[in-house]
Amino acid sequence: MSDPSSARTGTIRLTVGQALVRFLAAQFTERDGVRERFVPSTFGIFGHGNVAGLGQALLQNATDPGEGENPMPYYQARNEQNMVHTAVAYARTKNRLQTLACTASIGPGSTNMITGAALATVDRIPVLILPSDIFATRTVDPVLQQLEDETGGDVSVNDAFRPVSRYFDRISRPEQLIPAALQALRVLTDPAETGAVTLSLPQDVQAEAYDWPREFFRERTWHVARPVPEPAALDRAATVIRSARRPVLIAGGGTIYSEASAALADFTDATGIPVLDTQAGKGALSADHPLAIGGVGATGTDAANDLAAEADVIIGVGTRYTDFTTASHTAFRHPDARFVNLNVKAFDAAKHSATMVVTDARTGLDALREALGGYRAPAEHSALAQTRRAEWEKLIESCFQPHDQELPAQTEIFGALNELMGEEDIVINAAGSMPGDLQALWKARSPIQYHLEYGYSCMGYELPASLGAKMARPESEVVAIIGDGTFQMAPQEIATIVAERVKVILVILQNHGWSSIGSLSESHGSQRFGTKYRMRDESTGMLDGEKLPFDIPANIRSYGLEVQEVSSAADFRDAYRRAEASEDATAIVVNTNLYGPNPPGNGWWDVPVPQISRLESTQRASTEYEADKAPQRHYL
């Protein structure tokens, strides 16, 4: 059946929900000659805010599409925060050239997406969020789940999306969708501006009909730019680097998103400058490269941190210098340390009083290599970097070996995974002690292999992210490493994985506590208080009784997923091979030791300790904190 058109030539009558679906289905991106659908599908959970608006539009698209209308497949999520995480992981795996849309009902359904929006914006990842809103007409006021604000009738809970969105608009009239949708796509496809984009949709407006210009629905191609560096800025950067005796390069996530790995390898080969990496940048230079030294910062390798401490010039490529990367401003200790930053976003390029080069990472690295005109770092500096790397690799060998304890350390499992996974497979993690261990130990052999969300470090990201990454790259084996604390927060998308028959491998490490926070608590004088999963002891009034009788394998099986439970690294290897050979999703629950051991490290992270306390443990920690804080400085 064809769509009903108005009597006026060049218009088509649709609801706002129908128009938005049709518009999104016609949007494409192009970079380096590769053109693809920007929003190929939509995730959603329906309620009274969107079931008859966007929900109806998605149904109509699936069952009775209009002439020339592209399909917009719908995926059913189980938790609104999770579906945004799925979209983020999809977009990240696609190097920000594609993303997914997420729709939810008004009230809690929409506000559940705020955490996902914050994560996307912090990590500079595009995701389109479509929360439903209260009635624009206000005839029904207050509607179920509406927040009443006595200071303004146009305020709703969706205003909470404003600070975590790169672009926010509320569509109170149908015709407002036209400029808002175009602005949304502009921001989403701009590598310097991208993040969460929120179009707040009142539920009555979603269902309102309007005569739309047909031109609004034509296929549009958004060309993703590769900004080239300003020649003068490039000359300034080259001058600083040529003066360096101990330079290092820090590869951030922007290096991967711009597909600059080959350019980075060429730059490193030409200059002999050692490459350190952030959580988002690991794998930008293959770990097999002799000058790939490893992670830098609070959870970095001793080798990388020693080089950072001595560096007189730090070249940041596509990094935003989080406190973990700078070890809370203690990593770079050379008194005359200078920064040269290549970044597509001026805000990040300017950090640490740097010589700024606003550029795409790939074009910037190629141009800088040419501008340096044959410069090489001193041979002894490059040789020292390789020596320290070799010393570090020798030091951490014990992390992968069995320890004198009943259960394996999580580092043993990571070592096994690193050996078993292919270089085009994807390992996913986000929060707790695991990102620190992984940054120090994991050898990423490709830009796709290491998928760590450590900008927002959101517990609950890993499981839905495995779904998004596998949707984006079905040819890869996708492994989500999940702590038992994270699993308890967000297991719901197992149902989506089962329903969609998506093959992922979930590795749940069970140690009956929050290992990361427990260790941090102990090291900061708070005695692991409130970090173990225990029954309350009636005699002490504390949560230090018996272990909680929570059966994770049984919980997972209740979703219809196959589960293997193991308690050794050897058994884990066998379980992984079975999971890899299976055509279906599999979970492996690994019983591990809560107390590590963890890899050695010389980085520091600023977590303040009370200056006064009656507890001796806190008093000791406070003294240590003040000493550790001494090297902290602004880079001016």
Side-chain angles (χ1 to χ4, degrees):
M1 182 183 297
S2 61
D3 290 309
S5 298
S6 74
R8 294 177 297 172
T9 302
T11 64
I12 181 170
R13 192 162 182 81
L14 300 169
T15 68
V16 169
Q18 294 161 3
L20 181 55
V21 168
R22 185 164 184 151
F23 170 84
L24 291 175
Q27 307 306 303
F28 290 75
T29 59
E30 179 277 329
R31 187 171 72 178
D32 301 332
V34 178
R35 183 176 183 265
E36 50 198 339
R37 273 274 300 275
F38 183 59
V39 184
S41 56
T42 295
F43 268 82
I45 297 178
F46 299 128
H48 69 273
N50 63 346
V51 66
L54 276 174
Q56 187 279 338
L58 289 164
L59 168 66
Q60 182 168 292
N61 174 273
T63 61
D64 189 15
E67 183 179 351
E69 182 176 358
N70 292 330
M72 177 59 74
Y74 161 73
Y75 290 89
Q76 182 186 70
R78 268 66 182 181
N79 174 276
E80 294 88 356
Q81 176 177 311
N82 286 353
M83 69 185 179
V84 181
H85 291 337
T86 299
V88 168
Y90 181 94
R92 175 173 173 166
T93 305
K94 289 290 188 177
N95 286 332
R96 308 192 298 192
L97 297 173
Q98 291 182 282
T99 190
L100 306 175
C102 298
T103 174
S105 185
I106 75 167
S110 286
T111 55
N112 280 349
M113 296 193 291
I114 291 173
T115 294
L119 182 149
T121 296
V122 166
D123 289 350
R124 316 286 205 265
I125 304 294
V127 61
L128 179 59
I129 298 179
L130 305 172
S132 301
D133 215 327
I134 59 179
F135 279 72
T137 60
R138 304 187 197 166
T139 304
V140 181
D141 195 2
V143 68
L144 176 66
Q145 299 177 322
Q146 178 177 343
L147 170 72
E148 292 185 87
D149 190 311
E150 297 175 3
T151 67
D154 63 344
V155 175
S156 83
V157 293
N158 285 1
D159 287 285
F161 281 97
R162 292 181 185 271
V164 297
S165 300
R166 293 296 299 155
Y167 178 82
F168 175 95
D169 205 348
R170 178 176 282 113
I171 311 304
S172 299
R173 293 177 56 87
E175 56 266 41
Q176 293 175 349
L177 179 65
I178 295 175
L182 294 170
Q183 286 291 343
L185 267 293
R186 177 191 65 80
V187 173
L188 286 166
T189 58
D190 185 335
E193 296 300 320
T194 197
V197 165
T198 302
L199 297 181
S200 186
L201 303 168
Q203 58 178 306
D204 53 341
V205 175
Q206 288 184 47
E208 190 172 345
Y210 182 72
D211 293 323
W212 304 88
R214 287 183 176 273
E215 184 72 3
F216 181 52
F217 305 112
R218 69 172 172 84
E219 287 192 356
R220 282 179 168 80
T221 301
W222 300 84
H223 300 280
V224 179
R226 288 195 180 278
V228 298
E230 178 192 9
L234 202 62
D235 289 344
R236 291 191 292 269
T239 298
V240 174
I241 295 170
R242 285 194 199 99
S243 71
R245 302 299 300 166
R246 297 176 179 176
V248 297
L249 185 147
I250 299 178
T255 316
I256 291 177
Y257 304 144
S258 67
E259 300 172 348
S261 290
L264 177 59
D266 289 345
F267 181 90
T268 306
D269 291 341
T271 63
I273 296 176
V275 175
L276 324 179
D277 52 52
T278 70
Q279 288 281 14
K282 183 174 286 293
L285 185 67
S286 171
D288 294 334
H289 194 286
L291 285 174
I293 309 303
V296 66
T299 54
T301 72
D302 287 1
N305 283 337
D306 286 346
L307 290 173
E310 299 164 359
D312 54 355
V313 171
I314 300 97
I315 307 166
V317 182
T319 178
R320 59 190 187 88
Y321 290 108
T322 69
D323 67 335
F324 260 66
T325 298
T326 68
S328 298
H329 283 224
T330 65
F332 310 109
R333 301 194 179 192
H334 192 288
D336 300 316
R338 291 173 293 170
F339 291 77
V340 172
N341 292 338
L342 280 64
N343 204 293
V344 73
K345 192 175 182 68
F347 177 82
D348 292 321
K351 289 178 178 175
H352 305 323
S353 305
T355 297
M356 299 168 56
V357 184
V358 179
T359 180
D360 168 78
R362 193 172 86 180
T363 59
L365 281 167
D366 284 341
L368 185 58
R369 187 186 75 246
E370 294 295 326
L372 285 170
Y375 161 85
R376 284 192 65 84
E380 59 271 20
H381 177 62
S382 302
L384 177 63
Q386 293 180 63
T387 298
R388 285 179 170 165
R389 167 180 150 151
E391 291 171 349
W392 169 255
E393 290 180 351
K394 184 70 174 176
L395 180 65
I396 62 173
E397 285 179 359
S398 63
C399 293
F400 308 124
Q401 304 301 320
H403 295 81
D404 185 20
Q405 54 193 22
E406 182 180 355
L407 295 173
Q410 64 188 26
T411 56
E412 296 177 53
I413 306 305
F414 298 157
L417 265 179
N418 209 171
E419 292 176 17
L420 292 165
M421 292 179 67
E423 66 179 49
E424 296 298 315
D425 294 337
I426 302 172
V427 63
I428 297 176
N429 190 245
S433 62
M434 290 185 275
D437 288 2
L438 288 165
Q439 189 190 19
L441 301 176
W442 194 271
K443 294 182 178 180
R445 300 182 297 279
S446 76
I448 195 67
Q449 190 186 55
Y450 189 82
H451 185 127
L452 265 284
E453 191 293 295
Y454 211 57
Y456 208 49
S457 187
C458 185
M459 295 180 71
Y461 174 83
E462 296 92 334
L463 197 155
S466 71
L467 171 60
K470 186 68 174 182
M471 289 173 63
R473 196 175 173 88
E475 68 271 26
S476 294
E477 203 72 75
V478 176
V479 180
I481 306 175
I482 307 166
D484 51 3
T486 289
F487 177 82
Q488 293 176 69
M489 288 188 174
Q492 302 93 333
E493 253 38 63
I494 295 177
T496 307
I497 288 168
V498 171
E500 298 293 345
R501 297 180 175 86
V502 176
K503 161 65 186 303
V504 296
I505 299 174
L506 309 178
V507 177
I508 295 93
L509 302 187
Q510 181 169 250
N511 55 27
H512 303 282
W514 288 314
S515 174
S516 174
I517 297 303
S519 177
L520 184 67
S521 170
E522 185 174 46
S523 67
H524 284 61
S526 293
Q527 305 173 20
R528 292 185 178 260
F529 176 71
T531 64
K532 301 175 185 177
Y533 308 146
R534 299 291 188 272
M535 304 287 286
R536 190 171 298 279
D537 190 317
E538 294 182 0
S539 64
T540 65
M542 304 284 281
L543 290 170
D544 57 4
E546 297 179 354
K547 291 180 180 178
L548 284 174
F550 180 52
D551 192 332
I552 289 180
N555 185 276
I556 297 173
R557 290 190 184 101
S558 72
Y559 285 95
L561 204 67
E562 180 186 351
V563 183
Q564 304 178 72
E565 185 173 7
V566 299
S567 298
S568 73
D571 288 344
F572 172 77
R573 289 174 182 271
D574 292 339
Y576 182 83
R577 292 188 182 100
R578 288 191 292 269
E580 187 179 38
S582 174
E583 295 182 356
D584 301 318
T586 304
I588 307 173
V589 178
V590 188
N591 297 304
T592 58
N593 191 294
L594 178 63
Y595 302 104
N598 300 104
N602 58 4
W604 183 70
W605 186 37
D606 192 343
V607 178
V609 179
Q611 294 180 342
I612 59 171
S613 173
R614 292 190 300 274
L615 301 179
E616 185 180 346
S617 60
T618 307
Q619 293 169 8
R620 288 196 305 270
S622 182
T623 300
E624 294 172 2
Y625 172 76
E626 292 301 326
D628 291 338
K629 196 177 188 311
Q632 196 172 51
R633 61 189 259 215
H634 292 290
Y635 301 118
L636 300 174

